[in-house]
């Protein structure tokens, strides 16, 4: 495993899909949103994936959902996740589930459920029930939509050459959970910016 900070930055491309593109509010299952990352390096790399998880991107409101029927963007309540470290005496475990090995030329798929909640939102002053919508809870039956990538996401802060187990357990000892989660300066290489803004719009519709 290489640990030099001068290694050339790997190229990682991204595609996405929504399957199926018709969402039924009354039938299960809801559509699945997929993000596919492909490593174009000649050797595997392992990423610490904090910012390319579709469920997190959706919750934080980085996706744009445009309502073509109403000719407006769908209002979203945005969640912001706490990024402050706990007191120094508190143990911070290493989040193994965020490490993913990207093998050369093989897409790695990250998925999230994309659909309206079965729980009704709180009605607004007009009684429409949409003012408290969160993300896809703002979808309306009979409307046509476009899902756009938006801005403010698509960054891989931490990565290293090698397989997951090898990267998590370097010769100097196992990676530290607190440093991985909260130390933004201690990275083996410069971060990778994935061109998510170039993703094409996905058209879909919502039915009963």
């Amino acid at each position: 495993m290489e640990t030099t900070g001068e290694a050339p930055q790997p190229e990682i491309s991204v595609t996405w899909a929504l399957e199926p593109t018709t969402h039924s509010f009354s039938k299960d299952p809801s559509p699945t949103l997929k993000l596919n990352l492909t490593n174009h390096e000649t050797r595997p790399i392992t990423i610490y994936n904090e910012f390319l998880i579709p469920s997190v991107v959706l919750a934080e409101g980085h996706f744009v959902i445009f309502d073509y029927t109403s000719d407006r963007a769908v209002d979203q309540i945005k969640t912001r996740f706490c990024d402050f470290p706990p007191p120094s005496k508190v143990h911070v475990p290493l989040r193994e589930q965020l490490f993913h090995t990207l093998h050369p030329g093989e897409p790695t798929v990250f998925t999230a459920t994309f659909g309206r909640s079965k729980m009704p939102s709180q009605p607004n002053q007009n009684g429409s029930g949409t003012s408290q919508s969160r993300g896809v809870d703002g979808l309306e039956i009979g409307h046509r939509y476009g899902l756009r990538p938006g801005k403010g996401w698509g960054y891989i802060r931490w990565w290293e050459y090698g397989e997951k187990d090898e990267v998590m357990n370097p010769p100097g000892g196992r990676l530290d959970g607190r440093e991985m989660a909260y130390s933004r300066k201690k990275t083996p290489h410069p971060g990778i910016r994935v061109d998510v803004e170039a993703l094409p719009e996905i058209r879909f519709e919502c039915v009963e």
Side-chain angles (χ1 to χ4, degrees):
M1 178 178 65
E2 294 190 19
T3 57
T4 63
E6 301 300 324
Q9 194 177 64
E11 178 189 354
I12 296 178
S13 62
V14 59
T15 61
W16 68 345
L18 184 65
E19 301 174 353
T21 55
T22 297
H23 172 51
S24 172
F25 185 47
S26 60
K27 298 179 181 179
D28 290 325
S30 296
T32 298
L33 179 62
K34 298 180 178 181
L35 285 180
N36 310 294
L37 297 184
T38 300
N39 169 24
H40 297 280
E41 204 16 83
T42 58
R43 46 189 164 166
I45 66 171
T46 294
I47 65 172
Y48 187 70
N49 188 16
E50 305 161 284
F51 308 120
L52 280 162
I53 303 172
S55 59
V56 172
V57 181
L58 181 62
E60 292 187 337
H62 293 305
F63 294 140
V64 175
I65 304 173
F66 188 82
D67 186 336
Y68 280 98
T69 304
S70 298
D71 195 28
R72 62 176 180 83
V74 176
D75 292 332
Q76 302 181 51
I77 296 176
K78 301 176 183 180
T79 299
R80 287 292 178 264
F81 297 95
C82 178
D83 198 30
F84 297 102
S88 58
K89 294 183 179 180
V90 176
H91 172 66
V92 179
L94 187 64
R95 300 175 67 187
E96 296 187 23
Q97 71 275 16
L98 294 184
F99 289 88
H100 298 272
T101 299
L102 308 183
H103 293 96
E106 300 178 9
T108 299
V109 184
F110 301 91
T111 64
T113 298
F114 184 92
R116 287 177 59 184
S117 169
K118 304 303 183 193
M119 299 296 292
S121 59
Q122 296 296 319
N124 61 18
Q125 293 180 349
N126 298 322
S128 67
T130 59
S131 66
Q132 299 298 316
S133 62
R134 180 182 299 276
V136 294
D137 283 345
L139 302 181
E140 304 276 352
I141 293 172
H143 286 219
R144 294 176 297 105
Y145 296 93
L147 180 64
R148 303 169 182 174
K151 299 180 179 181
W153 64 287
Y155 185 64
I156 298 173
R157 176 180 63 87
W158 196 102
W159 65 275
E160 181 57 284
Y161 288 105
E163 300 282 347
K164 176 177 178 177
D165 289 343
E166 165 186 25
V167 167
M168 289 176 52
N169 298 279
R174 187 172 173 83
L175 295 176
D176 181 80
R178 178 180 290 272
E179 284 191 2
M180 288 299 304
Y182 301 109
S183 179
R184 298 297 186 232
K185 295 182 179 180
K186 293 183 178 181
T187 60
H189 309 282
I192 300 172
R193 180 71 63 181
V194 181
D195 189 14
V196 296
E197 293 184 25
L199 288 170
E201 179 183 69
I202 298 175
R203 294 289 187 100
F204 68 97
E205 62 180 341
C206 185
V207 299
E208 179 58 55

